[in-house]
Amino acid sequence: MAGSVAQQVSDPYAEALLSIGSGNNLIDAFGEDARFILDVLKECPEFGAFLGNPLLTADQKKGVLQNTLSEQVQPLMLNVLKLLCDRRRVLFLGDVCERYLALRRKLKKIALAEVISATELRDDQKQAVVERVKAMTQSTDVELETSIDDNLIGGVIVRVGSQVIDASLRGQIRRLSLQLAS
């Protein structure tokens, strides 16, 4: 999918979700739902493939959504998912959820920090990253997306928007070699 097509399709639905969430005091609950749906799509690609199958009817897809997600997501969120089926836009479900989370972060002044580390971070390390990102961005809160890169010897790489903080051992070695080469 071209990024612009996905964005053109997902933006109105994400904005509608934000409006519905705001009007019903469900902004954070919808955020949890969106993260849950993204996790399901990531962990079970077959679910996304099923929803994107053009040979299945909207009613079949809505039935599966009802059976699988009705206990996990807000009823209003489920209604929007069903609307995506009716409008043949359910293929963009992941994009809608990601865009909703981005709009929610902007509204609530929450920074998104992508943290890449050599090993799983302890809670105190995560808190240190959160505090540093808060100070750097003047945000009220920080959401961490953590991942592990076996190629890192130690340390972390933190990406906030276009800013990158490379506190990895590999980055320190690279900087040292550049200094020595100068």
PDB file of all heavy atoms in Angstrom, residues 117-151:
ATOM      1  N   SER A 117      17.399  -1.838  22.571  1.00  0.00           N
ATOM      2  CA  SER A 117      18.418  -2.203  23.550  1.00  0.00           C
ATOM      3  C   SER A 117      18.956  -3.596  23.254  1.00  0.00           C
ATOM      4  O   SER A 117      18.369  -4.357  22.488  1.00  0.00           O
ATOM      5  CB  SER A 117      17.841  -2.151  24.968  1.00  0.00           C
ATOM      6  OG  SER A 117      16.770  -3.056  25.096  1.00  0.00           O
ATOM      7  N   ALA A 118      20.071  -3.918  23.910  1.00  0.00           N
ATOM      8  CA  ALA A 118      20.684  -5.227  23.727  1.00  0.00           C
ATOM      9  C   ALA A 118      19.935  -6.297  24.509  1.00  0.00           C
ATOM     10  O   ALA A 118      19.871  -7.454  24.098  1.00  0.00           O
ATOM     11  CB  ALA A 118      22.147  -5.189  24.156  1.00  0.00           C
ATOM     12  N   THR A 119      19.382  -5.913  25.642  1.00  0.00           N
ATOM     13  CA  THR A 119      18.620  -6.826  26.493  1.00  0.00           C
ATOM     14  C   THR A 119      17.353  -6.122  26.950  1.00  0.00           C
ATOM     15  O   THR A 119      17.205  -4.915  26.781  1.00  0.00           O
ATOM     16  CB  THR A 119      19.430  -7.252  27.736  1.00  0.00           C
ATOM     17  OG1 THR A 119      19.743  -6.081  28.490  1.00  0.00           O
ATOM     18  CG2 THR A 119      20.705  -7.987  27.352  1.00  0.00           C
ATOM     19  N   GLU A 120      16.465  -6.880  27.557  1.00  0.00           N
ATOM     20  CA  GLU A 120      15.229  -6.317  28.097  1.00  0.00           C
ATOM     21  C   GLU A 120      15.574  -5.278  29.168  1.00  0.00           C
ATOM     22  O   GLU A 120      16.408  -5.524  30.038  1.00  0.00           O
ATOM     23  CB  GLU A 120      14.372  -7.432  28.708  1.00  0.00           C
ATOM     24  CG  GLU A 120      13.006  -6.984  29.170  1.00  0.00           C
ATOM     25  CD  GLU A 120      12.078  -6.642  28.025  1.00  0.00           C
ATOM     26  OE1 GLU A 120      12.197  -7.243  26.950  1.00  0.00           O
ATOM     27  OE2 GLU A 120      11.226  -5.753  28.208  1.00  0.00           O
ATOM     28  N   LEU A 121      14.952  -4.109  29.082  1.00  0.00           N
ATOM     29  CA  LEU A 121      15.212  -3.055  30.058  1.00  0.00           C
ATOM     30  C   LEU A 121      14.483  -3.330  31.367  1.00  0.00           C
ATOM     31  O   LEU A 121      13.348  -3.794  31.363  1.00  0.00           O
ATOM     32  CB  LEU A 121      14.761  -1.700  29.515  1.00  0.00           C
ATOM     33  CG  LEU A 121      15.492  -1.159  28.285  1.00  0.00           C
ATOM     34  CD1 LEU A 121      14.873   0.158  27.849  1.00  0.00           C
ATOM     35  CD2 LEU A 121      16.966  -0.982  28.561  1.00  0.00           C
ATOM     36  N   ARG A 122      15.159  -3.012  32.457  1.00  0.00           N
ATOM     37  CA  ARG A 122      14.523  -3.090  33.778  1.00  0.00           C
ATOM     38  C   ARG A 122      13.606  -1.883  33.936  1.00  0.00           C
ATOM     39  O   ARG A 122      13.706  -0.899  33.201  1.00  0.00           O
ATOM     40  CB  ARG A 122      15.586  -3.084  34.882  1.00  0.00           C
ATOM     41  CG  ARG A 122      16.531  -4.268  34.846  1.00  0.00           C
ATOM     42  CD  ARG A 122      17.499  -4.232  36.037  1.00  0.00           C
ATOM     43  NE  ARG A 122      18.050  -2.909  36.304  1.00  0.00           N
ATOM     44  CZ  ARG A 122      19.247  -2.482  35.878  1.00  0.00           C
ATOM     45  NH1 ARG A 122      20.007  -3.265  35.147  1.00  0.00           N
ATOM     46  NH2 ARG A 122      19.664  -1.257  36.182  1.00  0.00           N
ATOM     47  N   ASP A 123      12.728  -1.942  34.922  1.00  0.00           N
ATOM     48  CA  ASP A 123      11.782  -0.845  35.154  1.00  0.00           C
ATOM     49  C   ASP A 123      12.494   0.464  35.445  1.00  0.00           C
ATOM     50  O   ASP A 123      12.078   1.528  34.969  1.00  0.00           O
ATOM     51  CB  ASP A 123      10.818  -1.200  36.290  1.00  0.00           C
ATOM     52  CG  ASP A 123       9.809  -2.258  35.877  1.00  0.00           C
ATOM     53  OD1 ASP A 123       9.592  -2.444  34.663  1.00  0.00           O
ATOM     54  OD2 ASP A 123       9.231  -2.904  36.774  1.00  0.00           O
ATOM     55  N   ASP A 124      13.573   0.424  36.237  1.00  0.00           N
ATOM     56  CA  ASP A 124      14.285   1.664  36.558  1.00  0.00           C
ATOM     57  C   ASP A 124      14.960   2.252  35.319  1.00  0.00           C
ATOM     58  O   ASP A 124      15.036   3.473  35.164  1.00  0.00           O
ATOM     59  CB  ASP A 124      15.297   1.443  37.691  1.00  0.00           C
ATOM     60  CG  ASP A 124      16.383   0.437  37.333  1.00  0.00           C
ATOM     61  OD1 ASP A 124      16.068  -0.577  36.680  1.00  0.00           O
ATOM     62  OD2 ASP A 124      17.552   0.671  37.709  1.00  0.00           O
ATOM     63  N   GLN A 125      15.411   1.400  34.406  1.00  0.00           N
ATOM     64  CA  GLN A 125      16.004   1.887  33.164  1.00  0.00           C
ATOM     65  C   GLN A 125      14.937   2.528  32.273  1.00  0.00           C
ATOM     66  O   GLN A 125      15.174   3.575  31.662  1.00  0.00           O
ATOM     67  CB  GLN A 125      16.691   0.741  32.419  1.00  0.00           C
ATOM     68  CG  GLN A 125      17.920   0.212  33.129  1.00  0.00           C
ATOM     69  CD  GLN A 125      18.457  -1.059  32.496  1.00  0.00           C
ATOM     70  OE1 GLN A 125      17.689  -1.935  32.105  1.00  0.00           O
ATOM     71  NE2 GLN A 125      19.779  -1.159  32.405  1.00  0.00           N
ATOM     72  N   LYS A 126      13.776   1.893  32.211  1.00  0.00           N
ATOM     73  CA  LYS A 126      12.674   2.465  31.429  1.00  0.00           C
ATOM     74  C   LYS A 126      12.286   3.825  31.991  1.00  0.00           C
ATOM     75  O   LYS A 126      12.050   4.779  31.241  1.00  0.00           O
ATOM     76  CB  LYS A 126      11.462   1.527  31.438  1.00  0.00           C
ATOM     77  CG  LYS A 126      11.648   0.280  30.611  1.00  0.00           C
ATOM     78  CD  LYS A 126      10.413  -0.601  30.680  1.00  0.00           C
ATOM     79  CE  LYS A 126      10.613  -1.897  29.925  1.00  0.00           C
ATOM     80  NZ  LYS A 126       9.460  -2.793  30.022  1.00  0.00           N
ATOM     81  N   GLN A 127      12.228   3.931  33.317  1.00  0.00           N
ATOM     82  CA  GLN A 127      11.855   5.190  33.958  1.00  0.00           C
ATOM     83  C   GLN A 127      12.891   6.272  33.661  1.00  0.00           C
ATOM     84  O   GLN A 127      12.533   7.426  33.429  1.00  0.00           O
ATOM     85  CB  GLN A 127      11.689   5.002  35.475  1.00  0.00           C
ATOM     86  CG  GLN A 127      11.115   6.198  36.175  1.00  0.00           C
ATOM     87  CD  GLN A 127       9.748   6.600  35.642  1.00  0.00           C
ATOM     88  OE1 GLN A 127       8.910   5.758  35.312  1.00  0.00           O
ATOM     89  NE2 GLN A 127       9.514   7.889  35.534  1.00  0.00           N
ATOM     90  N   ALA A 128      14.170   5.896  33.636  1.00  0.00           N
ATOM     91  CA  ALA A 128      15.226   6.858  33.313  1.00  0.00           C
ATOM     92  C   ALA A 128      15.066   7.376  31.884  1.00  0.00           C
ATOM     93  O   ALA A 128      15.226   8.586  31.631  1.00  0.00           O
ATOM     94  CB  ALA A 128      16.598   6.222  33.507  1.00  0.00           C
ATOM     95  N   VAL A 129      14.726   6.486  30.957  1.00  0.00           N
ATOM     96  CA  VAL A 129      14.499   6.896  29.569  1.00  0.00           C
ATOM     97  C   VAL A 129      13.292   7.833  29.506  1.00  0.00           C
ATOM     98  O   VAL A 129      13.332   8.879  28.847  1.00  0.00           O
ATOM     99  CB  VAL A 129      14.298   5.670  28.648  1.00  0.00           C
ATOM    100  CG1 VAL A 129      13.832   6.099  27.264  1.00  0.00           C
ATOM    101  CG2 VAL A 129      15.573   4.852  28.558  1.00  0.00           C
ATOM    102  N   VAL A 130      12.229   7.492  30.212  1.00  0.00           N
ATOM    103  CA  VAL A 130      11.022   8.331  30.226  1.00  0.00           C
ATOM    104  C   VAL A 130      11.353   9.732  30.732  1.00  0.00           C
ATOM    105  O   VAL A 130      10.946  10.733  30.129  1.00  0.00           O
ATOM    106  CB  VAL A 130       9.906   7.673  31.084  1.00  0.00           C
ATOM    107  CG1 VAL A 130       8.804   8.671  31.385  1.00  0.00           C
ATOM    108  CG2 VAL A 130       9.339   6.448  30.377  1.00  0.00           C
ATOM    109  N   GLU A 131      12.077   9.821  31.818  1.00  0.00           N
ATOM    110  CA  GLU A 131      12.425  11.129  32.393  1.00  0.00           C
ATOM    111  C   GLU A 131      13.281  11.941  31.433  1.00  0.00           C
ATOM    112  O   GLU A 131      13.073  13.147  31.274  1.00  0.00           O
ATOM    113  CB  GLU A 131      13.138  10.954  33.736  1.00  0.00           C
ATOM    114  CG  GLU A 131      12.268  10.364  34.826  1.00  0.00           C
ATOM    115  CD  GLU A 131      10.969  11.126  35.068  1.00  0.00           C
ATOM    116  OE1 GLU A 131      10.980  12.383  35.026  1.00  0.00           O
ATOM    117  OE2 GLU A 131       9.930  10.470  35.281  1.00  0.00           O
ATOM    118  N   ARG A 132      14.229  11.283  30.770  1.00  0.00           N
ATOM    119  CA  ARG A 132      15.098  12.000  29.826  1.00  0.00           C
ATOM    120  C   ARG A 132      14.296  12.512  28.630  1.00  0.00           C
ATOM    121  O   ARG A 132      14.477  13.643  28.182  1.00  0.00           O
ATOM    122  CB  ARG A 132      16.219  11.074  29.355  1.00  0.00           C
ATOM    123  CG  ARG A 132      17.104  11.672  28.290  1.00  0.00           C
ATOM    124  CD  ARG A 132      18.527  11.768  28.710  1.00  0.00           C
ATOM    125  NE  ARG A 132      19.316  12.478  27.734  1.00  0.00           N
ATOM    126  CZ  ARG A 132      20.373  11.988  27.127  1.00  0.00           C
ATOM    127  NH1 ARG A 132      20.811  10.790  27.435  1.00  0.00           N
ATOM    128  NH2 ARG A 132      21.035  12.703  26.247  1.00  0.00           N
ATOM    129  N   VAL A 133      13.386  11.673  28.134  1.00  0.00           N
ATOM    130  CA  VAL A 133      12.570  12.082  26.983  1.00  0.00           C
ATOM    131  C   VAL A 133      11.611  13.203  27.379  1.00  0.00           C
ATOM    132  O   VAL A 133      11.405  14.146  26.616  1.00  0.00           O
ATOM    133  CB  VAL A 133      11.818  10.868  26.381  1.00  0.00           C
ATOM    134  CG1 VAL A 133      10.812  11.310  25.337  1.00  0.00           C
ATOM    135  CG2 VAL A 133      12.809   9.878  25.780  1.00  0.00           C
ATOM    136  N   LYS A 134      11.031  13.129  28.581  1.00  0.00           N
ATOM    137  CA  LYS A 134      10.159  14.211  29.056  1.00  0.00           C
ATOM    138  C   LYS A 134      10.909  15.530  29.087  1.00  0.00           C
ATOM    139  O   LYS A 134      10.399  16.563  28.644  1.00  0.00           O
ATOM    140  CB  LYS A 134       9.629  13.899  30.465  1.00  0.00           C
ATOM    141  CG  LYS A 134       8.407  13.047  30.517  1.00  0.00           C
ATOM    142  CD  LYS A 134       7.953  12.934  31.964  1.00  0.00           C
ATOM    143  CE  LYS A 134       6.763  12.040  32.130  1.00  0.00           C
ATOM    144  NZ  LYS A 134       6.352  11.927  33.547  1.00  0.00           N
ATOM    145  N   ALA A 135      12.123  15.511  29.614  1.00  0.00           N
ATOM    146  CA  ALA A 135      12.916  16.732  29.687  1.00  0.00           C
ATOM    147  C   ALA A 135      13.280  17.249  28.299  1.00  0.00           C
ATOM    148  O   ALA A 135      13.286  18.459  28.054  1.00  0.00           O
ATOM    149  CB  ALA A 135      14.187  16.469  30.498  1.00  0.00           C
ATOM    150  N   MET A 136      13.549  16.326  27.389  1.00  0.00           N
ATOM    151  CA  MET A 136      13.962  16.688  26.039  1.00  0.00           C
ATOM    152  C   MET A 136      12.805  17.263  25.220  1.00  0.00           C
ATOM    153  O   MET A 136      12.996  18.180  24.427  1.00  0.00           O
ATOM    154  CB  MET A 136      14.523  15.436  25.358  1.00  0.00           C
ATOM    155  CG  MET A 136      15.173  15.648  24.031  1.00  0.00           C
ATOM    156  SD  MET A 136      15.922  14.109  23.449  1.00  0.00           S
ATOM    157  CE  MET A 136      14.529  13.311  22.689  1.00  0.00           C
ATOM    158  N   THR A 137      11.596  16.728  25.420  1.00  0.00           N
ATOM    159  CA  THR A 137      10.467  17.101  24.557  1.00  0.00           C
ATOM    160  C   THR A 137       9.438  18.012  25.233  1.00  0.00           C
ATOM    161  O   THR A 137       8.515  18.469  24.574  1.00  0.00           O
ATOM    162  CB  THR A 137       9.729  15.836  24.075  1.00  0.00           C
ATOM    163  OG1 THR A 137       9.196  15.150  25.215  1.00  0.00           O
ATOM    164  CG2 THR A 137      10.646  14.938  23.279  1.00  0.00           C
ATOM    165  N   GLN A 138       9.566  18.216  26.532  1.00  0.00           N
ATOM    166  CA  GLN A 138       8.576  18.988  27.297  1.00  0.00           C
ATOM    167  C   GLN A 138       7.185  18.350  27.235  1.00  0.00           C
ATOM    168  O   GLN A 138       6.174  19.030  27.303  1.00  0.00           O
ATOM    169  CB  GLN A 138       8.502  20.442  26.792  1.00  0.00           C
ATOM    170  CG  GLN A 138       9.840  21.160  26.780  1.00  0.00           C
ATOM    171  CD  GLN A 138      10.469  21.251  28.158  1.00  0.00           C
ATOM    172  OE1 GLN A 138       9.812  21.558  29.117  1.00  0.00           O
ATOM    173  NE2 GLN A 138      11.750  20.943  28.241  1.00  0.00           N
ATOM    174  N   SER A 139       7.136  17.028  27.095  1.00  0.00           N
ATOM    175  CA  SER A 139       5.870  16.297  27.034  1.00  0.00           C
ATOM    176  C   SER A 139       5.342  16.026  28.437  1.00  0.00           C
ATOM    177  O   SER A 139       6.106  15.982  29.401  1.00  0.00           O
ATOM    178  CB  SER A 139       6.063  14.951  26.322  1.00  0.00           C
ATOM    179  OG  SER A 139       6.485  15.160  25.007  1.00  0.00           O
ATOM    180  N   THR A 140       4.042  15.816  28.520  1.00  0.00           N
ATOM    181  CA  THR A 140       3.446  15.478  29.815  1.00  0.00           C
ATOM    182  C   THR A 140       3.658  14.022  30.164  1.00  0.00           C
ATOM    183  O   THR A 140       3.673  13.655  31.333  1.00  0.00           O
ATOM    184  CB  THR A 140       1.931  15.777  29.818  1.00  0.00           C
ATOM    185  OG1 THR A 140       1.316  15.018  28.768  1.00  0.00           O
ATOM    186  CG2 THR A 140       1.664  17.250  29.606  1.00  0.00           C
ATOM    187  N   ASP A 141       3.824  13.178  29.139  1.00  0.00           N
ATOM    188  CA  ASP A 141       4.031  11.755  29.359  1.00  0.00           C
ATOM    189  C   ASP A 141       4.796  11.182  28.170  1.00  0.00           C
ATOM    190  O   ASP A 141       4.939  11.836  27.140  1.00  0.00           O
ATOM    191  CB  ASP A 141       2.690  11.037  29.523  1.00  0.00           C
ATOM    192  CG  ASP A 141       2.815   9.711  30.261  1.00  0.00           C
ATOM    193  OD1 ASP A 141       3.942   9.350  30.665  1.00  0.00           O
ATOM    194  OD2 ASP A 141       1.802   9.021  30.413  1.00  0.00           O
ATOM    195  N   VAL A 142       5.260   9.956  28.325  1.00  0.00           N
ATOM    196  CA  VAL A 142       6.039   9.299  27.278  1.00  0.00           C
ATOM    197  C   VAL A 142       5.548   7.869  27.137  1.00  0.00           C
ATOM    198  O   VAL A 142       5.344   7.172  28.122  1.00  0.00           O
ATOM    199  CB  VAL A 142       7.544   9.288  27.629  1.00  0.00           C
ATOM    200  CG1 VAL A 142       8.334   8.512  26.593  1.00  0.00           C
ATOM    201  CG2 VAL A 142       8.074  10.708  27.760  1.00  0.00           C
ATOM    202  N   GLU A 143       5.322   7.445  25.898  1.00  0.00           N
ATOM    203  CA  GLU A 143       5.025   6.040  25.597  1.00  0.00           C
ATOM    204  C   GLU A 143       6.296   5.418  25.048  1.00  0.00           C
ATOM    205  O   GLU A 143       6.918   5.970  24.141  1.00  0.00           O
ATOM    206  CB  GLU A 143       3.916   5.933  24.545  1.00  0.00           C
ATOM    207  CG  GLU A 143       2.547   6.233  25.064  1.00  0.00           C
ATOM    208  CD  GLU A 143       1.467   6.043  23.997  1.00  0.00           C
ATOM    209  OE1 GLU A 143       1.757   5.462  22.922  1.00  0.00           O
ATOM    210  OE2 GLU A 143       0.351   6.492  24.230  1.00  0.00           O
ATOM    211  N   LEU A 144       6.672   4.285  25.620  1.00  0.00           N
ATOM    212  CA  LEU A 144       7.861   3.577  25.157  1.00  0.00           C
ATOM    213  C   LEU A 144       7.471   2.415  24.265  1.00  0.00           C
ATOM    214  O   LEU A 144       6.582   1.648  24.600  1.00  0.00           O
ATOM    215  CB  LEU A 144       8.660   3.029  26.341  1.00  0.00           C
ATOM    216  CG  LEU A 144       9.315   4.013  27.283  1.00  0.00           C
ATOM    217  CD1 LEU A 144      10.082   3.264  28.366  1.00  0.00           C
ATOM    218  CD2 LEU A 144      10.230   4.967  26.553  1.00  0.00           C
ATOM    219  N   GLU A 145       8.143   2.318  23.139  1.00  0.00           N
ATOM    220  CA  GLU A 145       8.052   1.132  22.287  1.00  0.00           C
ATOM    221  C   GLU A 145       9.433   0.511  22.321  1.00  0.00           C
ATOM    222  O   GLU A 145      10.384   1.074  21.777  1.00  0.00           O
ATOM    223  CB  GLU A 145       7.665   1.500  20.855  1.00  0.00           C
ATOM    224  CG  GLU A 145       6.215   1.794  20.673  1.00  0.00           C
ATOM    225  CD  GLU A 145       5.829   1.998  19.208  1.00  0.00           C
ATOM    226  OE1 GLU A 145       6.709   1.867  18.314  1.00  0.00           O
ATOM    227  OE2 GLU A 145       4.662   2.298  18.966  1.00  0.00           O
ATOM    228  N   THR A 146       9.550  -0.611  22.995  1.00  0.00           N
ATOM    229  CA  THR A 146      10.860  -1.225  23.175  1.00  0.00           C
ATOM    230  C   THR A 146      11.050  -2.393  22.224  1.00  0.00           C
ATOM    231  O   THR A 146      10.096  -3.105  21.895  1.00  0.00           O
ATOM    232  CB  THR A 146      11.045  -1.711  24.629  1.00  0.00           C
ATOM    233  OG1 THR A 146      10.031  -2.669  24.928  1.00  0.00           O
ATOM    234  CG2 THR A 146      10.963  -0.561  25.607  1.00  0.00           C
ATOM    235  N   SER A 147      12.284  -2.559  21.800  1.00  0.00           N
ATOM    236  CA  SER A 147      12.650  -3.726  21.003  1.00  0.00           C
ATOM    237  C   SER A 147      14.081  -4.105  21.358  1.00  0.00           C
ATOM    238  O   SER A 147      14.843  -3.297  21.892  1.00  0.00           O
ATOM    239  CB  SER A 147      12.502  -3.455  19.507  1.00  0.00           C
ATOM    240  OG  SER A 147      13.355  -2.419  19.100  1.00  0.00           O
ATOM    241  N   ILE A 148      14.431  -5.339  21.067  1.00  0.00           N
ATOM    242  CA  ILE A 148      15.755  -5.849  21.387  1.00  0.00           C
ATOM    243  C   ILE A 148      16.506  -6.102  20.091  1.00  0.00           C
ATOM    244  O   ILE A 148      15.968  -6.693  19.150  1.00  0.00           O
ATOM    245  CB  ILE A 148      15.648  -7.140  22.227  1.00  0.00           C
ATOM    246  CG1 ILE A 148      15.003  -6.815  23.573  1.00  0.00           C
ATOM    247  CG2 ILE A 148      17.018  -7.774  22.421  1.00  0.00           C
ATOM    248  CD1 ILE A 148      14.726  -8.019  24.436  1.00  0.00           C
ATOM    249  N   ASP A 149      17.759  -5.628  20.039  1.00  0.00           N
ATOM    250  CA  ASP A 149      18.624  -5.837  18.885  1.00  0.00           C
ATOM    251  C   ASP A 149      19.854  -6.591  19.378  1.00  0.00           C
ATOM    252  O   ASP A 149      20.671  -6.053  20.130  1.00  0.00           O
ATOM    253  CB  ASP A 149      19.027  -4.498  18.274  1.00  0.00           C
ATOM    254  CG  ASP A 149      19.881  -4.647  17.028  1.00  0.00           C
ATOM    255  OD1 ASP A 149      20.300  -5.788  16.708  1.00  0.00           O
ATOM    256  OD2 ASP A 149      20.142  -3.626  16.367  1.00  0.00           O
ATOM    257  N   ASP A 150      19.987  -7.839  18.959  1.00  0.00           N
ATOM    258  CA  ASP A 150      21.103  -8.674  19.391  1.00  0.00           C
ATOM    259  C   ASP A 150      22.452  -8.143  18.910  1.00  0.00           C
ATOM    260  O   ASP A 150      23.490  -8.526  19.441  1.00  0.00           O
ATOM    261  CB  ASP A 150      20.918 -10.113  18.892  1.00  0.00           C
ATOM    262  CG  ASP A 150      19.697 -10.772  19.511  1.00  0.00           C
ATOM    263  OD1 ASP A 150      19.331 -10.393  20.639  1.00  0.00           O
ATOM    264  OD2 ASP A 150      19.108 -11.658  18.861  1.00  0.00           O
ATOM    265  N   ASN A 151      22.447  -7.281  17.897  1.00  0.00           N
ATOM    266  CA  ASN A 151      23.698  -6.730  17.377  1.00  0.00           C
ATOM    267  C   ASN A 151      24.290  -5.653  18.282  1.00  0.00           C
ATOM    268  O   ASN A 151      25.458  -5.316  18.137  1.00  0.00           O
ATOM    269  CB  ASN A 151      23.493  -6.163  15.969  1.00  0.00           C
ATOM    270  CG  ASN A 151      23.157  -7.251  14.971  1.00  0.00           C
ATOM    271  OD1 ASN A 151      23.675  -8.354  15.062  1.00  0.00           O
ATOM    272  ND2 ASN A 151      22.279  -6.945  14.041  1.00  0.00           N
TER     273      ASN A 151
END
